[in-house]
Each structure stands twice: as C-alpha cells, then as structure tokens.
Amino acid sequence: MIINLQNILVSLVFLVELSIQTNEFCSVEDKICSSSKISNSNTRYILYDVNYSEGFNLRRDVYMRMAIFMHLVQHNWQHDWHLVLPPWPRLYHWQSRDVENQNFLPWSSFFDIKSLKRFSPVMEYTEFLKESKSNEIDEIYVLQHFERAFKDKNWNWDDKWSFVNCDKEVLCLEENCKLSAYMLKEEMYYREHWSYENMTSRSLRCVSFQGPASFLKNIFKENHNSKRILIDHAEIVVHDGFGDQLYWKCRRSMRFAKNLVQEADQFRTKYLGCNDIKDNTERPLYWENEKNQRKAVGGPFVCAHLRRGDFVYSRGNQLPSLKFAAKQLVELLTSLKLNTIYLATDGSPEDVEVLKQNLKDVKLMQYIPDPEVKRNIKDGGVAIIDQIICSYARYFIGTHESTFTFRIQEEREIMGFPINTTFNVFCASPKKCFETSKWMIVY
C-alpha cells in the first residue's frame, strides 16, 4: 500500500483547524461573544425574556406558553427552530446571604433538560452561544398590551397585534435611562438581558399584542430571513389552550433535576415515613408513560404551603393569622388521623415559632439543607424540594392565588391524587374561605 505523506499532513492540518473552529464557545463568565455566522443555514433560534420582577413559578408558566408554541412550530415550519431557555437571574425570593452566584443559572439547575427536549426543541443559553458564536440578535420584538385594553369596559379581546412606536420606557434616547430600556447607539440597540451585558440588535420593533403564543407566528412569517429572534416581555402572550391535552403534555415534561428529586426522596423516606410502593406514588422513568389514574395515596403527613412574605402586605386580607392557620391544621390532622405536618413557607423564623406554639403535640417538619447542599442547589433548588415533598403528601393545603401552591397542585394532579386532597387552600377567617380553581388533566 502506497501512503502519500503529503496528503496525510494536509489532512492533519485540516482536522486541527476544524477542531479549533468547532471548539469556539462563550462561557457564562465571558458574558459577551465575538460575532460569527451560524454554520447551519437552516438553524434558527427564538429567545425570550420576561419582566424582571416576575417570580420563579410565573416564569415557569411563561416557558410553557413558549414551549407549546415551539412544539407547534416544529411540526409546521420547514426550518430547524430552537427555543433558547433564558438563564435565571437572581430573583426577588432568592435572598439568602450565605448563597453566592445566584445569577446566570441554567435551567439544568432545576429541571431535567432531556425531559424538556422530548416535548419541545429547547436548548440552554450557553448552547446557543456556542452554536451561534454571536451576541447579536437579528430582530427584537418588544410586546406590550394594547393601550386601552384594561381601561375600556367593552374592550374587544379578540386575537390581534400591531406594530406601534416605542415609548421612552422601552427605547431611551437620553443619558439617564432605566435598566429595562433599550439604548440606541451607532444604529445598534443594546440592553442587558438575563444579567448578560451587550446584547445587541440592528432591529427593534414594539408590538401591541393580544392573543396566544401561537399567534406570534403572524409577526415573523415562515419565510423570515432572521435566524436569531428575541421576544421581550413574553409574559404578555397567553396559553393556546390552558388545561388542554397539549398543556398537560408540556407540563408533564417539566420533570425536576434528578439531584433535587433524590434529595427530596431521601428526606421523605427518612423523616416523613414515605414508601412509594405503599403510598402508590411510584413514577415511571419517562413522563410519556405516566398513567391517568387516581390511585395515589401519599405519605402519612399533611403538607401546608403557607405564603407570607410580600403577601402579608399585598394580600393580607386573603391570609389567615398564624393562630388561625394552626387551628385549621389541627382540625385537618384530627380528621385524617395524622400527626405530622410538613411546612413550606416563606415566612420568617418568628412566624414558624408562632405556629409551633399553636401546634402542640404536633410534629412540624421543614426541609433545612446543610450549608454545602444549599450552596450547590441555591434558593431555587430549596423551593423546588419543598414542592416535591408537598406533592407526595397524604393531604395538601395551600395559599389562595399563590403560583407556588398552583404548581404543587399540578404535580399532584399528574401523580393521580384524589381531587379533594389536592385543591385546598387556607381560609382567611372563619367566615372567609375560598373556592379554589380545579384544573384537572384532560384524559
């Protein structure tokens, strides 16, 4: 066999150069990336952002709206579209001083990405940076409500949209601008997104929007040339079919990160006497195989989600006093012949102490992680573990109009708990109770 040494050397040089090119990436620490063309001309990306003040559980719901949209896009559009998951910024409720680096968190910190991808073509933001090799967005669409939508009594709520002029709250041409406003400099729009600096675009348009996420397709058509599109204020869009089969298919795919599930399972087994076989709470490996049966019994404890924090000031008339909350829990335990309460709350240590004083002869449990564990899973991970544990309780009682409560109810609905052990909320007073919405799986 004759070997051409020159051809081998040329091939080696080509492979080295190819390796250098394909290993270019932008790390979280870099925050910015150098511009470069996307290698696959058929690949396109949709990014989205939400109002900075929105909390964790509302952001999860916005994700579902966009993921369902991409699920539909995937089947109807010719191009290879991907939904880019926005990194988690430090949220209002993540206030622990002993936990650092609660910014730029990937979705894999909290969710099983492989599970998400089995429903919709999603990718982490760092994956997007590695593939696109650019911090420049082709087009930014800033959504807003129609000006008269919440002022006119007879407003027409039909699906509609229109391009409008951007006001100074969105586009700032002065020196002293709000952080939420875009700046225009040398024909480039730029603003910080998800705490990443120097996100830029040559095109920015404001859109009055009213309708479901799938209605976004009318803004950028199938034959659109843009490859990187950012939808700002994606919380403006609504669900295509809230509570329908596609909604629950998407919701089932939102499995939590495996390390958080394992941590919650260990706590349930060790401190709450849970046994998945006995409690009928075993779950299949893949969400597609979950059966639509109401056979879950749950562990021998009551879970109470008692919202405090900013609710005390914004919705104080919907919350029970701590003493009255304890009275309701004692009555529940008596009727269920149980003696253990798992408490999920954003209340202060003083609030918890008051509850304990009014829950005599009751075993009150909370998940309080070791400092090292907490540093690893962050405040968001601690909150998710609360939700996981609550979803396995024999009986759950939550807080009226709390998205945290609603997410737990969804988990329990997926697991197949009886309706009367899931959709319950605290009464604010003996004469003021609430009829909570019951969003059940469509079979």
Side-chain angles (χ1 to χ4, degrees), residues 364-382:
L364 184 65
M365 302 296 298
Q366 285 183 282
Y367 174 71
I368 302 176
D370 294 333
E372 184 61 28
V373 172
K374 187 176 180 181
R375 282 192 289 270
N376 288 332
I377 66 176
K378 314 298 183 186
D379 285 345
V382 174

Side-chain angles (χ1 to χ4, degrees), residues 114-132:
K114 290 183 179 179
S115 183
L116 298 182
K117 287 184 176 182
R118 292 203 303 275
F119 175 78
S120 185
V122 303
M123 62 165 50
E124 294 275 24
Y125 184 69
T126 49
E127 291 181 77
F128 162 73
L129 292 179
K130 185 176 180 179
E131 284 194 14
S132 68

Side-chain angles (χ1 to χ4, degrees), residues 425-441:
V425 293
F426 282 100
C427 295
S429 69
K431 296 183 179 180
K432 189 173 184 179
C433 291
F434 306 99
E435 182 66 30
T436 184
S437 299
K438 298 178 177 64
W439 293 102
M440 292 168 285
I441 292 179

